[in-house]
Amino acid sequence: MADRRSGELTPGGHAPTDLLYVPVRPERRCYVTCFFRTPSGRRTAVAFTSCARLLAALGQDHPWIRLSVTALRALTAPLGCPTITVDPQVSVRPGSTPLRTRPGPGMSLLPGARVNR
């Protein structure tokens, strides 16, 4: 696929518009992808279709990289995490206290889930 703006491809053969925003965390001298758990307890990688969605869910200072779904799956599947959740929705039960914009330490942006560190 060609980039609609320049006609060029990314190294993976995708247009830059096909790239997702993937949350990462610093680890020694590099960044690693963040894994979360779904409410059922399954590990999942998380990605967002826009930077605004990622920052709204994880906070304005959360680091991220752009990857295609294919590249993200290639990184996470060998680590036992074949599932990718795109644009996870945070939900609140009617009448309950709204969630904070950014999850606190040990919390996940997925309802009922916990962060896998």
Side-chain angles (χ1 to χ4, degrees):
M1 295 174 71
D3 179 356
R4 294 181 191 116
R5 292 166 288 174
S6 67
E8 294 183 23
L9 298 176
T10 63
H14 297 277
T17 55
D18 293 340
L19 299 177
L20 296 170
Y21 294 83
V22 179
V24 294
R25 61 181 170 78
E27 183 71 33
R28 296 189 183 113
R29 289 186 240 165
C30 62
Y31 285 89
V32 296
T33 56
C34 297
F35 292 103
F36 297 85
R37 292 204 180 267
T38 64
S40 65
R42 289 182 50 177
R43 286 177 64 183
T44 184
V46 173
F48 296 86
T49 55
S50 74
C51 184
R53 288 181 182 199
L54 181 144
L55 297 177
L58 298 175
Q60 294 297 316
D61 60 343
H62 198 91
W64 52 268
I65 59 172
R66 294 197 70 191
L67 292 172
S68 68
V69 171
T70 305
L72 182 57
R73 193 173 312 283
L75 288 172
T76 60
L79 300 173
C81 186
T83 305
I84 298 172
T85 303
V86 178
D87 289 335
Q89 299 294 310
V90 176
S91 63
V92 178
R93 290 187 193 115
S96 65
T97 306
L99 295 175
R100 294 180 289 178
T101 303
R102 180 179 179 162
M107 296 177 63
S108 172
L109 66 138
L110 299 173
R114 56 185 193 277
V115 176
N116 186 25
R117 296 191 190 265

